[in-house]
Every structure is written in C-alpha cells, then in structure tokens.
Amino acid sequence: MKISHLLFLALLFSNCSKELLFPLENGYAIFNPEAPKGYATVTEYNHDDLLTGEGQYSLYPNGKPTTLKKGHWTYYHDNGQLKSKGTYKIGSYTECCTVGPCEQLYNYKFGDWEYYYPNGQLRTKGSYEETNLHIDTCLLYTSPSPRD
C-alpha cells in the first residue's frame, strides 16, 4: 500500500493530530490550521508521495482550506532539489453568476522569484509586478431584444 494511503488512514483515525489531509489534482497536501490567523501552513506531495511544495493556504472563515496560496512558497523537483521559490498574493475579479455579479478570488506570483534546474543550479531570476488587483469581467448592459 502506498505511503499516501497509509498517511490518509492515519490522519483520518487520529484525533491527536491537528494536521489534516487535503486532496489536490496532482497529489495531496497536509496542512496545519494552527498557523497565523486566516492561513494554514501546507506541505504538498505528488501521487508518488514526493515533496513538491511548502507554503501557506488561505482559509475560509469556517477554517476549511482553500487552494489560494499566500506568502512565501518553495517548490521542489522530483529528485528533491529546489525547483523555485517566491511569494504569492491574492487578488479578485467580478464574475457574472446566476444571481448577479459575484467576487472570485485567485492567487498570483508577486515580487522576486528564482527558478532552478533539477541539478540545483540557478536557472533564472525574475520579478513579478502588480498591475491590476481587481478585474471586473461582468458587463452589465441591456441588450436589444431580437424582436426589436
């Protein structure tokens, strides 16, 4: 049985641990909601139980995790070498929902980032700047009726 399955069962039946398992598209994350208010420290793993990233997720007001990354993050290649590191921030946009405009959140890279080759050598450095923190994608207009 894979380590991830054993880990899932251990976390499921353990009342002592404050760490929780959170499924991701390409693996899973273990997060600790005891981090600074509104955030959880996170360790991400792929389906082969290899460490892929470390950082923080934002939490919903009820304490459940989102997949919105915030603050400093570090990513790793499958061989364990550093892959990239940098900072995330959270932005928003307005979307047209069935009940009208609603706000959606997203995370984005900000500031200085470094990227590394699998052998650990620095590949490149870059800097991300904020240009627009809120995007309004909902156009409110009245269109003419096809019968007019």
Side-chain angles (χ1 to χ4, degrees):
M1 184 181 280
K2 281 188 160 184
I3 294 173
S4 61
H5 295 119
L6 293 173
L7 183 61
F8 175 74
L9 292 173
L11 290 172
L12 182 65
F13 295 109
S14 172
N15 292 329
C16 300
S17 175
K18 293 189 191 286
E19 292 184 335
L20 301 170
L21 190 68
F22 188 75
L24 299 172
E25 183 177 326
N26 296 322
Y28 62 95
I30 297 175
F31 77 98
N32 181 352
E34 300 295 317
K37 188 173 181 163
Y39 301 99
T41 55
V42 176
T43 308
E44 294 182 341
Y45 297 88
N46 65 18
H47 291 295
D48 293 326
D49 302 315
L50 298 173
L51 176 65
T52 59
E54 298 175 299
Q56 290 184 331
Y57 282 172
S58 178
L59 298 176
Y60 289 110
N62 65 6
K64 292 186 179 185
T66 69
T67 53
L68 292 171
K69 297 176 179 184
K70 172 99 176 165
H72 183 78
W73 271 80
T74 305
Y75 294 97
Y76 301 94
H77 289 284
D78 287 345
N79 66 4
Q81 291 285 338
L82 183 62
K83 183 176 185 177
S84 63
K85 61 182 178 178
T87 302
Y88 283 100
K89 286 190 172 185
I90 297 175
S92 68
Y93 63 93
T94 303
E95 183 174 69
C96 293
C97 298
T98 56
V99 295
C102 58
E103 184 179 42
Q104 300 293 326
L105 301 175
Y106 65 95
N107 55 269
Y108 60 95
K109 293 178 178 181
F110 174 76
D112 296 331
W113 276 75
E114 296 178 358
Y115 299 89
Y116 296 85
Y117 290 106
N119 67 5
Q121 288 184 319
L122 181 64
R123 180 177 180 186
T124 189
K125 290 182 180 183
S127 185
Y128 294 85
E129 296 179 10
E130 296 173 327
T131 56
N132 192 359
L133 296 180
H134 181 84
I135 305 165
D136 190 355
T137 60
C138 189
L139 299 175
L140 299 176
Y141 66 91
T142 305
S143 60
S145 168
R147 295 181 210 145
D148 291 344

